[in-house]
Amino acid sequence: MSRKEFRDLASPEAAREAIDSLSLEGGIDRVELEDARGRVLVARLDAELDVPGFDRASLDGYALRARDTFGADEADPARLEVVGAVHAGEEPTIDLEAGQAVEISTGAVMPSGADAMVPVERTDRVEPRSTDSANGDAVSETAEDGDEVLIRTSVAPGDNVMFAGADVAAGERALGPGTTITPRDIGLLSALGVDEVPVRAKPRVGIVSTGDELVRPGGDLDSERGEIYDVNSYTIAAGVEDAGGEAVLYPHAGDDQDEMERVLREAADECDLVLSSGSTSASAVDVIYRIIEEQGELLLHGVSVKPGKPMLVGRLESSAYVGLPGYPVSAMMVFRTFVAPAIRKAAGLAAPKAATVSGRMARSERYAEGRLRLMPVGLVTSGPSEPAHESAGVDGDGKTLVYPVDKGSGATTSLAEADGVVTVDPETDYLEEGESVTVDLFSPDVQPPTLLGVGEDDPTMNRLLDGLENPRYLSVGSRPAVRRLREGVPDVAVIAGPLERALEAEEIGRWSREWGLVVRPGNPQELEGLAELVDRDLRFVNRTTDSGLRSSLEAAVDDLAADRGRDRQELIAAIDGFDLGLRAHESPARKVIAGDADAGVGLRATADRLNLGFVPLGDQPVRVFANPDRTAKESVQELAAALEEPPTEH
Amino acid sequence: MSRKEFRDLASPEAAREAIDSLSLEGGIDRVELEDARGRVLVARLDAELDVPGFDRASLDGYALRARDTFGADEADPARLEVVGAVHAGEEPTIDLEAGQAVEISTGAVMPSGADAMVPVERTDRVEPRSTDSANGDAVSETAEDGDEVLIRTSVAPGDNVMFAGADVAAGERALGPGTTITPRDIGLLSALGVDEVPVRAKPRVGIVSTGDELVRPGGDLDSERGEIYDVNSYTIAAGVEDAGGEAVLYPHAGDDQDEMERVLREAADECDLVLSSGSTSASAVDVIYRIIEEQGELLLHGVSVKPGKPMLVGRLESSAYVGLPGYPVSAMMVFRTFVAPAIRKAAGLAAPKAATVSGRMARSERYAEGRLRLMPVGLVTSGPSEPAHESAGVDGDGKTLVYPVDKGSGATTSLAEADGVVTVDPETDYLEEGESVTVDLFSPDVQPPTLLGVGEDDPTMNRLLDGLENPRYLSVGSRPAVRRLREGVPDVAVIAGPLERALEAEEIGRWSREWGLVVRPGNPQELEGLAELVDRDLRFVNRTTDSGLRSSLEAAVDDLAADRGRDRQELIAAIDGFDLGLRAHESPARKVIAGDADAGVGLRATADRLNLGFVPLGDQPVRVFANPDRTAKESVQELAAALEEPPTEH
C-alpha cells in the first residue's frame, strides 16, 4: 500500500499566508434595516436630512418669545395671551406675536415667531376651566382666544428647543465604511429614515464532505458496515456561521473520483470558499489532492501542526479551497486556527476580542513530534467559591487548572468537553505539572464548568447534575475516577461498587442502586441468577474492568466460586462472553435488544428504561467523594447539599 | 394642562424585581441541527448509541492478532498471511485466524478474530505487485490469498483500535439542560445522529410604537407637520434580538385610546412581553397608563433613574408589559438596563461577560437630581500607539479618557457615538475631571474608536476618515472644536476659516475649500456676490456661529463694510436671514432647494453634489490640529501621513 507522504511540511505561518492570499470576499448585499444588525457597511453613509427636520419643543409647555419673559420670576410672573395649541404631528398655523404664547407638546413644531419655550411646570393657566383637562385633546379644546398664562420664569432664545439638525445635520458623516451595525447604529439609521443599507455579502462557504462510510445525522446507521454519522458537515457549518460566513452543505460525495470532482466543481462554482472534509480514508484524500492539483491550483499540502498535518490549500475555478483533515477534532482545530480568521476578515468583521485564561497544568504532558501543537484543554478552578458566571476560571490568580482533553485521534466529541486551546510550540516537548500556560478560550462566551466530576455513569448522578449550573461530568468509570481523584484534577469522583482500598477523600454522599442481569423482555429464558450463566449455554455481555458494575459482578463470581468450592477462573471461563467488556453502561442491554446476547450486566434502571427483563443480583453503593482541596468550592457544597436528601433511583 | 406626576418613584432595584416577577418565558421549540447553534437545550440529552458503533481501526494498516506480533521488530519481523481487505463503510466478511492479517483502512470495522492493528508504516508487503497501488480500489484488488506482510513491530491487544463506545457510550449524559449550543456541541450531536433538538423558544417580544408624529423609516416625512422617523421600533427590535428574543413589530398606534388598546391587546395576545415606546407626548403615555391600569395590572409607574423616569411595568392579559420612555436614548438605556437582562434570562442565556473599562473623566460633570444616573459615555485613549483592535481603550492603565455623550434629551442618535455607560449613584452630584470611573461597554464587541476628531463638517475630512480604521468624528463646528481641543479631550480638531487666536496645538495638515453662496440651479436671480444680499430683496440662510463658514462670511461682511465705509451691523441688518443660523453644512442649500431661501452660505462641493448654482466668495483654509499630548498616537500619525498628500476637493 503506498500513500501520499508529507515530506516537506509547511510552517503554520506559511499556511496562514497561503490562506490570506486567497480571495474569499463576497460582493455587496442590500439588506433591510430590520436585518442589518451585525452586518458590515460597505460604504460611508451620510445624513440626507436634518434630524430633527424642524425646530422642536423639548418639553410640554408654552412656546413664546424669550424677550417677553425677561425679568419674570415666581413673585412677578409674565402674563401672556394663549393664542392656540400645537401638538406633535401637527403643522402649526399660528404666527406668534409679542405678548402671545402657544401651548405646545413635546416633539411639536415650534410655531413661527416663537424662539423659546417654557415647561408647563413653571406656568399657570389663569382660566379655571383649564385645570380639569387630563389629556391632550381636552387641553387642546381649552386653548381658545382669551385664555392667559402666567410664566413664572425667564428664558433665553433657544431654551428648551431642539433646533433642526441639532441631532444629525444633513450632509454629516453618519456611519463609516466597515462599521459593524449595532442596535445603536440602527437607531441612527432609523432617525435618518434609511430602510435599506449596502452591506458586505457574507462569504459563501461550501462544505463538501466525503467518505462512503458517512451518514447524515437523522439517517439510519449500519454499524456492521462501519457507518458513522457525519460530524464535520454540521459542525464546520456552525463554525462558518460563527465566523460570519454563510454555510452551504453539499451532498456527500463518495470516494469515487468523478463524483467527487463533480461536487467540488459545483461548490467552487457557487461559493467563495470550498472546504472539503469528512472521510479519513487515504484514498479519498488522494482523490481530492489530485483534483485540486490537476484541475485547480495547489498552494500548499501538509502543515507542521498537530492536529492538522494533512491540510490542503489551493484554488478551484474562481473559488478558494481548503482541505480539512478528516477527523472531526482535527478538522475543527484547523478550521478554527486557519480558516475562521480568513472568513471573519472577508466578512469585514473585526477579530474577536482575545479571550484568554491563565492557568497551571493540572498534570504533566509529554509531546515531542516537533510540530506546533494545538492542544484542546478543559479548565477547572481549584479555589473556593467564586461568582459562578462571571469569572469562574477566567482569572489569573493561579486557581485555574488546565488539563488536556484527548480521547484519542478518532474521537469526534472531545471538543464538547474542552474550553479552549493551549498552543505549544514545536520546541517544547514537555509541560510540567503546575507549569503556567495560557488558554485561548473557544469564544469569549465560553463558561468554564462550575464543577468537574468524573466516575461511574449513573442515572441518579445524571439527575443530580441536571440541578447544578453548568457542570461537567466525564463518565470514565469508577476505577479511572479513583486514579484521577488521587491525581487531584477533578472536584468530585463518583465510585460504584466495592472500593479496593480507602480513598483519602471526603465522602459527601451516597446512594444505592440495584444491579443484575438485563435480559429479554419477560425473561423468556427464565434466568434466575449468576449460576445459570456458568451452567447453561447462554451468551453474556460484560462491562469493562473500569466499571463499578464489573467490580460487583466479579465479587459475585468470587462468592459463587467460594460457595461451590471451585476456582473463580474456572467459573469465568465457563461464562461465554465474560471477557467481552463494553464501555457503556447501556451497551450490554443494547446487545440484548439486538439479539447478540442473552444477558448483560446492567442496572434495573436501565432495564426499566429500555423495557427489558431484569434478574437482580444485588445492590451496590454509589459514593461521591470530594477532592480534599475543593470541599469549600461552591459547586461542591451545592452538590453535597443536594445529596443530603438521599436520592432515589427511578 | 394637568399631567400624571411621578410622586413616588420606585427604586431601580424595585423596578428590576417587578420585571423579574413577570414571566417572559416562551415554550419549547424543536429545531433542526443546522439551526441549533446558539439555542438553549431544554432537557438533558443522553446518548442513544455508542460512538463509534463498532471497534474501529484508527489508522491505515493491518488488523491482526496481537499475539502473532509478540517479539517482532525491525530486525526480525513477523510474517503473516494477508487474507483480505476491509475499507471504511464495508462490512468485514473475514473471520481472522492465527497467523493471518487483514488489510484495513482508517475508520473501517475491525474484522472478527482481530484484536489489534499495526500501521502501514511498520509493515512491508512482500508481493511486489502491491507497491504500485495508489488508491483503495487498487489495494483491494491486490489483497488476494497468497499475499504476505512483514510486521516490523509488536503490538498489544487493543493497540490502534478505537473500541465501540470509547468516544461516547450509549446512555451517557451527553449535554445538560440549559446548554447553549456551540459548534462543538453540534459535533457531539452529529456524532449521536441527532438531527433535531428541543430548545427554549425565544421569548416573543411585541413592540408597539405610538405617536401620531411617527413615520416608519423608508416612508415619506412631512417635517412641516413635525413628523419624525420612528427610531425606537427597529432599535428596540435589534436590542431584543441581541438579547436572544424574537421581535415582533406592530403597526403604529396613533394617540387614540381605542386604537392603542386594540394594538396592545393584539400584541399581548401573541407575545410573551409587550414593549410600548415611541411617542413622547403626555397624552399617549396617559392613554397607555390607563389601559394597563384598568385592563391589566400595573406593578410600577416611575423609577428613580435618569434616563427612564416614566417607565411602566405591568401585565396585560397573559403577557408581561413594560412601557419604555419615548425618547430614543432613554428608551434604549432603560431597555438595556432593565429589560434586556430579563429577556436573556427567559431565553436561557447566561448573562454576557461583563465588559468593563476603567478610565478617567476627561472633564468634570455635574448632576444633582438625586436619581441613579445611567450616563452614556465615549472613550478616547490618551496614550501613544497601542494595538488598534485588541486593547484600545480596554485597559486599566490610566490611558483611557471617558467623556459624557449628551446631545440633549431629544437626541435620537447619541448612543451611536457612545461606547458604554457609567452608572452614577444618586448620592454623587459631581464627577471631577480625572476621577476614575468604570464604564460598562454596550457589548463585549465594542471597539472604542482609534481616533477621536471634532470640528467642522467637511467633505474632504469625511473622505480622509474613510481611510482610517474605526475613527469617530463629532462635527461640532470649528469654534466648539477649538474649545474642546483646549480642554484636551479629542485627538484632533478640524478648523475651517479664520482662527481668532493661535492654538497651542500642532497643525498636522491643511487644505483649502471654496465657499460662497449656494443658489438655485443656473443662478436664475443672477447673484454675483455678497453685495447683492445687502442691496437686493433676497432671502438668505446662514450657518450658526459655530461654523467656520459663518466666520469667513462675517469676515467678508467686514471687508464689504470697510469698502463702503459703513458699519458692519448696518450691512448685517440689511441681509434678510443673516441671523438665521442653521447647524448643518448642507441645510442652507436644502432651504434653497425647498424654495424657502434664495441663497445660503455653503461650499462649492455641496452645490455641485446637490446640483445647485454657486457664487464663489473665496477660499478658506481647513486646518487639522493635533492635541499636543497625542501626536505620538498611532491613529494621529496615520492621519498626518494621509494629510501629507494634499487632499483635493471633488
Side-chain angles (χ1 to χ4, degrees), chain B residues 490-512:
Chain B
D491 296 319
V492 296
V494 179
I495 319 286
L499 262 181
E500 282 167 22
R501 53 182 171 126
L503 255 176
E504 280 177 39
E506 190 188 335
E507 184 180 318
I508 60 169
R510 65 156 72 192
W511 59 92
S512 155

Side-chain angles (χ1 to χ4, degrees), chain B residues 533-548:
Chain B
L533 291 183
V534 177
D535 304 330
R536 285 170 56 183
D537 184 19
L538 295 166
R539 286 168 305 158
F540 175 68
V541 189
N542 210 340
R543 292 286 309 282
T544 59
T545 54
D546 287 344
S547 140

Side-chain angles (χ1 to χ4, degrees), chain B residues 368-615:
Chain B
E369 287 187 36
R371 284 188 274 152
L372 184 77
R373 184 173 179 201
L374 306 170
M375 181 171 74
V377 296
L379 300 178
V380 59
T381 49
S382 61
S385 61
E386 285 182 281
H389 254 311
E390 284 175 348
S391 64
V394 197
D395 50 21
D397 61 0
K399 286 182 186 165
T400 300
L401 292 179
V402 177
Y403 58 92
V405 171
D406 189 2
K407 295 165 95 175
S409 74
T412 54
T413 58
S414 358
L415 293 187
E417 291 174 0
D419 298 304
V421 177
V422 170
T423 303
V424 187
D425 59 44
E427 289 72 36
T428 303
D429 55 6
Y430 186 71
L431 293 169
E432 276 179 82
E433 182 180 329
E435 186 167 340
S436 176
V437 290
T438 299
V439 180
D440 293 310
L441 296 179
F442 284 119
S443 86
D445 301 327
V446 163
Q447 308 270 350
T450 53
L451 178 87
L452 179 64
V454 298
E456 189 80 2
D457 202 336
D458 178 85
T460 301
M461 187 64 200
N462 285 348
R463 282 201 307 281
L464 285 165
L465 290 166
D466 289 351
L468 301 178
E469 187 165 333
N470 195 26
R472 174 172 293 152
Y473 189 76
L474 310 176
S475 50
V476 296
S478 292
R479 204 182 281 184
V482 168
R483 183 175 47 76
R484 293 201 190 192
L485 191 64
R486 286 206 179 100
E487 289 172 354
V489 181
D491 296 319
V492 296
V494 179
I495 319 286
L499 262 181
E500 282 167 22
R501 53 182 171 126
L503 255 176
E504 280 177 39
E506 190 188 335
E507 184 180 318
I508 60 169
R510 65 156 72 192
W511 59 92
S512 155
R513 62 183 193 178
E514 198 176 3
W515 69 279
L517 301 179
V518 177
V519 297
R520 289 190 196 128
N523 191 8
Q525 289 164 304
E526 297 179 348
L527 270 75
E528 288 177 10
L530 188 58
E532 289 158 288
L533 291 183
V534 177
D535 304 330
R536 285 170 56 183
D537 184 19
L538 295 166
R539 286 168 305 158
F540 175 68
V541 189
N542 210 340
R543 292 286 309 282
T544 59
T545 54
D546 287 344
S547 140
L549 279 176
R550 171 76 168 244
S551 306
S552 286
L553 182 69
E554 293 193 353
V557 169
D558 288 348
D559 289 347
L560 183 64
D563 282 353
R564 296 193 177 181
R566 288 176 63 192
D567 184 70
R568 71 186 297 264
Q569 287 306 328
E570 280 179 62
L571 266 60
I572 285 174
I575 300 176
D576 175 16
F578 192 91
D579 287 332
L580 183 57
L582 301 183
R583 203 183 89 74
H585 84 270
E586 283 194 356
S587 296
R590 287 172 188 273
K591 288 276 182 196
V592 172
I593 293 173
D596 294 339
D598 301 307
V601 66
L603 300 178
R604 179 183 285 280
T606 304
D608 288 352
R609 205 174 77 75
L610 298 174
N611 297 313
L612 289 168
F614 183 71
V615 180

Side-chain angles (χ1 to χ4, degrees), chain B residues 74-134:
Chain B
E74 293 287 337
D76 184 18
R79 191 176 188 102
L80 301 179
E81 181 194 4
V82 178
V83 295
V86 53
H87 294 99
E90 280 179 14
E91 181 167 359
T93 51
I94 297 142
D95 204 345
L96 193 129
E97 290 171 15
Q100 295 183 332
V102 164
E103 200 184 302
I104 194 161
S105 55
T106 309
V109 183
M110 288 289 286
S112 164
D115 62 3
M117 66 150 294
V118 174
V120 66
E121 290 83 357
R122 312 302 299 273
T123 67
D124 289 300
R125 274 298 266 272
V126 284
E127 291 292 329
R129 67 172 181 264
S130 67
T131 56
D132 63 1
S133 64

Side-chain angles (χ1 to χ4, degrees), chain A residues 11-213:
Chain A
S11 69
E13 295 69 38
R16 265 196 200 93
E17 282 165 22
I19 292 176
D20 280 348
S21 77
L22 303 169
S23 160
L24 312 187
E25 279 187 35
I28 296 175
D29 280 350
R30 294 198 67 88
V31 296
E32 295 191 0
L33 191 58
E34 54 194 298
D35 302 321
R37 186 179 63 99
R39 301 302 296 268
V40 178
L41 214 54
V42 283
R44 185 179 77 228
L45 213 135
D46 293 337
E48 291 289 331
L49 43 80
D50 284 335
V51 180
F54 53 92
D55 297 343
R56 187 167 187 250
S58 298
L59 297 164
D60 289 344
Y62 291 88
L64 38 67
R65 298 187 173 200
R67 75 181 58 176
D68 285 345
T69 69
F70 289 173
D73 59 17
E74 293 288 338
D76 184 18
R79 192 176 187 101
L80 301 178
E81 180 195 3
V82 178
V83 293
V86 52
H87 295 99
E90 278 178 17
E91 182 167 359
T93 51
I94 297 141
D95 205 347
L96 193 126
E97 291 171 15
Q100 294 183 334
V102 165
E103 199 183 303
I104 194 161
S105 55
T106 309
V109 183
M110 288 287 288
S112 166
D115 62 5
M117 65 149 295
V118 174
V120 66
E121 290 82 358
R122 313 302 297 273
T123 67
D124 289 299
R125 274 297 264 272
V126 284
E127 293 291 329
R129 66 172 182 265
S130 66
T131 56
D132 63 2
S133 64
N135 66 31
D137 289 340
V139 168
S140 182
E141 281 159 22
T142 66
E144 286 161 19
D145 289 354
D147 275 7
E148 291 186 337
V149 62
L150 299 179
I151 307 292
R152 296 186 271 107
T153 186
S154 61
V155 287
D159 277 4
N160 305 314
V161 178
M162 183 175 222
F163 288 105
D167 195 351
V168 192
E172 202 173 283
R173 185 180 195 269
L175 292 173
T179 302
T180 301
I181 298 169
T182 64
R184 291 165 289 125
D185 297 323
I186 286 178
L188 174 54
L189 293 166
S190 295
L192 295 173
V194 173
D195 64 341
E196 200 185 69
V197 284
V199 298
R200 279 217 204 179
K202 298 183 176 193
R204 271 175 79 87
V205 181
I207 296 168
V208 176
S209 110
T210 64
D212 293 329
E213 79 278 27

Side-chain angles (χ1 to χ4, degrees), chain B residues 210-410:
Chain B
T210 63
D212 292 331
E213 79 278 28
L214 297 183
V215 175
R216 279 273 158 92
D220 288 328
L221 201 67
D222 183 354
S223 287
E224 308 289 316
R225 291 188 53 212
E227 289 181 347
I228 55 172
Y229 284 114
D230 171 16
V231 172
N232 283 338
S233 293
Y234 288 121
T235 312
I236 299 295
V240 164
E241 281 161 14
D242 252 8
E246 180 193 346
V248 186
L249 293 192
Y250 286 86
H252 276 138
D255 290 355
D256 171 69
Q257 170 149 4
D258 289 346
E259 169 65 4
M260 216 179 280
E261 185 175 330
R262 196 192 59 72
V263 175
L264 283 174
R265 282 193 178 283
E266 185 186 335
D269 196 44
E270 295 170 349
C271 297
D272 302 305
L273 167 66
V274 176
L275 297 175
S276 73
S277 89
S279 178
T280 50
S281 76
S283 59
V285 171
D286 284 350
V287 168
I288 290 185
Y289 174 87
R290 221 165 30 230
I291 293 170
I292 301 301
E293 193 176 48
E294 289 168 13
Q295 321 264 328
E297 183 185 359
L298 187 67
L299 297 177
L300 189 139
H301 182 206
V303 178
S304 182
V305 60
K306 180 190 170 74
K309 195 165 76 169
M311 180 170 35
L312 295 174
V313 180
R315 290 190 187 90
L316 185 62
E317 301 186 352
S318 64
S319 172
Y321 168 81
V322 176
L324 300 173
Y327 277 132
V329 170
S330 308
M332 265 309 266
M333 294 299 285
V334 166
F335 174 80
R336 181 182 176 278
T337 308
F338 296 98
V339 184
I343 293 174
R344 286 192 78 88
K345 200 175 145 207
L349 299 172
K353 286 265 165 68
T356 59
V357 176
S358 297
R360 290 177 292 115
M361 289 295 290
R363 55 175 189 254
S364 64
E365 174 75 8
R366 182 176 296 282
Y367 169 77
E369 287 187 36
R371 284 188 274 152
L372 184 77
R373 184 173 179 201
L374 306 170
M375 181 171 74
V377 296
L379 300 178
V380 59
T381 49
S382 61
S385 61
E386 285 182 281
H389 254 311
E390 284 175 348
S391 64
V394 197
D395 50 21
D397 61 0
K399 286 182 186 165
T400 300
L401 292 179
V402 177
Y403 58 92
V405 171
D406 189 2
K407 295 165 95 175
S409 74

Side-chain angles (χ1 to χ4, degrees), chain A residues 393-436:
Chain A
V394 196
D395 49 22
D397 61 0
K399 285 182 185 166
T400 300
L401 292 179
V402 177
Y403 58 92
V405 171
D406 189 2
K407 296 164 95 175
S409 73
T412 53
T413 58
S414 1
L415 293 187
E417 291 175 1
D419 299 303
V421 177
V422 171
T423 302
V424 187
D425 59 44
E427 290 71 38
T428 303
D429 55 7
Y430 186 71
L431 292 169
E432 274 181 84
E433 182 180 329
E435 187 167 339
S436 176

Side-chain angles (χ1 to χ4, degrees), chain A residues 28 32 94 109 135 154-155 157 255 289 311 337 343 354 358 409 414 430-431 438 453 489 508 536 542 564 593 616:
Chain A
I28 296 175
E32 295 191 0
I94 297 141
V109 183
N135 66 31
S154 61
V155 287
D255 290 355
Y289 174 87
M311 179 169 35
T337 308
I343 294 174
S358 298
S409 73
S414 1
Y430 186 71
L431 292 169
T438 299
V489 181
I508 59 169
R536 285 169 57 179
N542 209 340
R564 293 190 177 182
I593 293 172

